[in-house]
Structures are given as structure tokens and as C-alpha cells.
Amino acid sequence: MADVIPEPRSMASHGDGFFEPDADTALVAQVGTERTARWLRDTLGAACGLPLPSRPDTGDNAVRLSLDPAVTEDLGAEGYRLAVTPAGAHLAGGGPAGLFWGAQTLRQLLGPDAFRRAPLPGRAWRLPLCRIQDSPRFRWRGLMLDVARHFMPKDGVLRYLDLMAAHKLNVFHFHLTDDQGWRIRIERHPRLTDVGSWRTRTKFGHRASPLWEEKPHGGFYTQDDIREIVAYAAERHITVVPEIDVPGHSQAAITAYPELGNTDVVDTASLTVWDSWGISPNVLAPTDNTLRFYEEVFEEVLELFPSEFIHVGGDECLKDQWRASPAAQARIKELGLADEDALQAWFVGHFATWLSARGRRLIGWDEILEGGIAEGAAVASWRGFGGGIAAARAGHDVVMCPEQHVYLDHRQADGADEPVPIGYVRTLEDVYRFEPVPPGLDASLTHRVLGTQANLWTEVMEDPARVDYQAFPRLAAFAEVAWSALPAPAERDFAAFERRMAAHYRRLDALGVGYRPPAGPLPWQRRPGVPGRPIDGPPPIR
């Protein structure tokens, strides 16, 4: 019973017996619980072979679903209470989301085989008698998936939404554009995908690697694909936050529409979608034409994504072309700006104002702090804790995702068998001891921390199996950090977490997740001879 991940706030045994659902077990769904009822029938019904028929609440042998204002008052809209007695199970949510998170716990209590897609013969199902009260620590419990560097087809994205839901993660940051590919169809600007979604070859390994995969790579999502992804996520109470990068990380867009680049200093018509990694010097020109173009892009993006936040990147914008561009320098003078950093702040600020006028909020990586950012904008603090602290002190909301701690492309061990080793060693225990609220932040400002996010950058993740390997099992530890009311990092009981992971590995097995085993990579998970970029020593705390 104690194997639930993320760990609930309160969990107590209610006796030594079990409730054993069978073919006659009913699903009693009160008004407002229909979405979770549908998920239970589709998911648990398939795994357990139980029909879970609907009937009035007239007797025992039932799973009851309800929304309860008392749960809302005590635990919030994402909180839930679960009581299992010999007569059945009652799941009460503070809101529809809380009810759904409670259903994830119910699934875990049924055992690892409840995570399969069809029943195994001879399986008997039982729920331990217990009472659980639970609610999340943070409202933003995110996963960023980079589909620009290596494209993940739609079915893979839907699978990751299911994996997020199973871990009670609720924000899917969808990194859709970069130098190496543009992945979302924009009807008014079709060359963004006709041209910008494909590159002729791909660097294999770190950008210093001499190895290449000499075949085209690409793909994109149609607008109907995006609608399906957003609807699938919403059914699981996951918000999809799209990222459209400006003004850097834009070579794919400039390749498709050369007039978007700094044509007075570079022959943008000769550019191709970038086939290597790192930071491209080719950035957007700070012209009215560029602003109008991206307004048209964002108009279509807003129609597809109902999220409060829209991510605009804003990171790693090299300014060399702007320094050399007479047009960019004239723009700086015309606007009365101090320098190129201020020009970037003006560029990002334009879209903060534009989005705000349409009832949305801009979020960007912590470089958007340089030169000042608009009121209401939020910051994703990736270069450490410093950007998040500075943003909170300036009155901005923050999502903590420091690369030294929760970039899951970083290597999991320092062994020679670790595939394409990138960055610092971040073990399962390291992630479990990550604390999103930095000690340097005044207690009066901790409300500015909306939550935390793990990031999956895919330069060296060439297929979904590599994404699985980098994400798991560490994403399970991260989910507990984001959800559970854990003690201070040094006081966390990692040994107890490892014991719960023993059961969780079996759930991941049932889901077909190609995680990194505790003993190290399996032979087919290794990448011998493919150079990475390991960094020795512990990551800095800054």
C-alpha cells in the first residue's frame, strides 16, 4: 500500500483486508465526474477486463466518484480523498482535476498489471483498505519536450501525456520551433513547415562529434494534430504550453522566409535548416515586418492552444548580427535604446504586450530579464536559481527548471557505458533531493514560484527509446518533488523512495517504458563511440 508515487500527504491503513472489484463492480459517477469515469472505464477496464457498469448508488460493490466542496476547502481543487472499505471505494475530488489525480492513485493501488492494455489471465484484482488525503505542493508541475531537435510523431507525444498523467504532472511545455526544425503548421506561412521542418542530415552526438547521420530528418504537426494533442491533454487535466522561439533559435524560420533575417549582414537566402547543435548566430531582424509575421504566427497559435501562458523562448540570442547590422543599429537609435540587450527586451516586450491584450501571459527563459520585462510576464529559470530569484524580487512569477538539476538530457552516471554523456551527473537521488524553492529567496516571495519543470532537450535523443532512457526513472523522482510535501533535501528518505520504486519499475515495465535500470544501461541502450560533453564535479549552486 505504501508504494504510491508521488507520495500522498496522508495515507493510513483501514484494516488488513481488501476490496476485490469484479465483473459486477459498478462505477457510480456523480455529476461533474464524467471525465474521470470515462478514463477509468477506458484504462482500468482494458487492463483489468472489468466492465464497470453504471448504476445508481444503491448498494455495495461499487467505485463511487464525487466532487466534494469540503475537499476543495481543505485540499484545494487538485486535492482528493480516497477511502477503500470492504464494500467498495469512494473517491472524492476537490475539483475534476483532483478527482482525476485520485484515480491515478487508485490505479497504482491495484498493482502494476493495472498499467497494461489488456488483462492477463488468472489475475484477481484487489484494493487495500485505506484512507488517503492528498493534494499537490505546486500548481505548475511540468515537463518540457523538445520536438524541434528530434521530431517525435504524434502518437509518441500522446504516450508522453499518458506518462505525465500517471505521475500527476500537469503542464506540458511543447518546444515546437528551433534552429533545427519548425514543427507546427501555420496556414498563413506554409513554408515554415514545407521548408523549415526538414534538415538534410543530423549531427550524431555532441556538436563537437565528427559523426553524422546522412539522411533527412524532420516532420511536423498539422493543426488537427495539435487540436488532438491539446484535447487529449485536457482530458487528462494537462495544460499544453507551446513555445515559439524569438528572436534567437530561429534559423529554420529564416531559412523558410529569408526576409526575417538580418539581410544586410548575411545572405539569408543561402541558409539551410541547421544540421548541428549549439547556438546559431542567425537571429531574427528587429523589423516591423518580422513583428507582423510573428503576430500572424501567434494568432494561429492562440486559436490552437487555450493555455494562459505562451512561451516565446527569448534565450541564447547571439547579438553579433545586430551589432553589425546598420538596420538593427538604426532601430536601436530610433527607439532610444541603450544597446542590443535592450533591443531584445523591446522585441520580447512587444509580444508580452500583444499577448496581454489578448488575455494571455508571456513566459520566457531567464534571459528575458536582461533589459527588463513587461508586467505580468513570467520567467522559466534555467541557468540556475539566480534568474528565478531576480524575477521574483522584481514581482514576476517563476517556474524553476535549473539545468544543473532538472535537465534530463544530463547523464545519469559517470560510467563509460553511459550513452552520449552530457553535462553533470544527475542521479535518481540527485533529482529526488532537488528543491525548487531556492534558499536565497525571501519567504515573502515564495508564492512567486508557480512550480517546477523538468526539461528533455533532444539533441542526443534520436528516437523515443532514448527519450525514455533519459526521462526515466528520474521523472518519477521529479514528480514527487513537484507534488509531495517533502522535507528539506538532506532530510528526505531516499531509501524509502527506492523501496517504492521497486514497485514503480514494474508499472513502467507494464507501460513499456525503456527506463535506465538501476544497475546501468542495458547493452542496446549504450552508444559506444559517440562522443558527448561530460562535465566533472558537482553542479554549481547559483
Side-chain angles (χ1 to χ4, degrees), residues 270 330 472:
S270 68
F472 290 98

Short mmCIF file of all heavy atoms in Angstrom, two decimals, residues 270 330 472:
data_model
loop_
_atom_site.label_atom_id
_atom_site.label_comp_id
_atom_site.label_asym_id
_atom_site.label_seq_id
_atom_site.Cartn_x
_atom_site.Cartn_y
_atom_site.Cartn_z
N SER A 270 20.75 31.90 -48.61
CA SER A 270 21.61 30.72 -48.75
C SER A 270 21.57 29.81 -47.52
O SER A 270 22.21 28.76 -47.51
CB SER A 270 23.06 31.15 -49.01
OG SER A 270 23.61 31.78 -47.85
N ALA A 330 20.15 51.23 -36.48
CA ALA A 330 19.21 52.34 -36.67
C ALA A 330 17.96 52.14 -35.81
O ALA A 330 17.40 53.11 -35.28
CB ALA A 330 18.83 52.44 -38.15
N PHE A 472 13.38 8.45 -17.59
CA PHE A 472 13.01 7.54 -16.51
C PHE A 472 14.20 6.72 -16.04
O PHE A 472 15.03 6.32 -16.85
CB PHE A 472 11.88 6.61 -16.97
CG PHE A 472 10.58 7.31 -17.17
CD1 PHE A 472 10.18 7.72 -18.42
CD2 PHE A 472 9.75 7.59 -16.09
CE1 PHE A 472 8.97 8.39 -18.61
CE2 PHE A 472 8.55 8.25 -16.26
CZ PHE A 472 8.16 8.65 -17.52
#
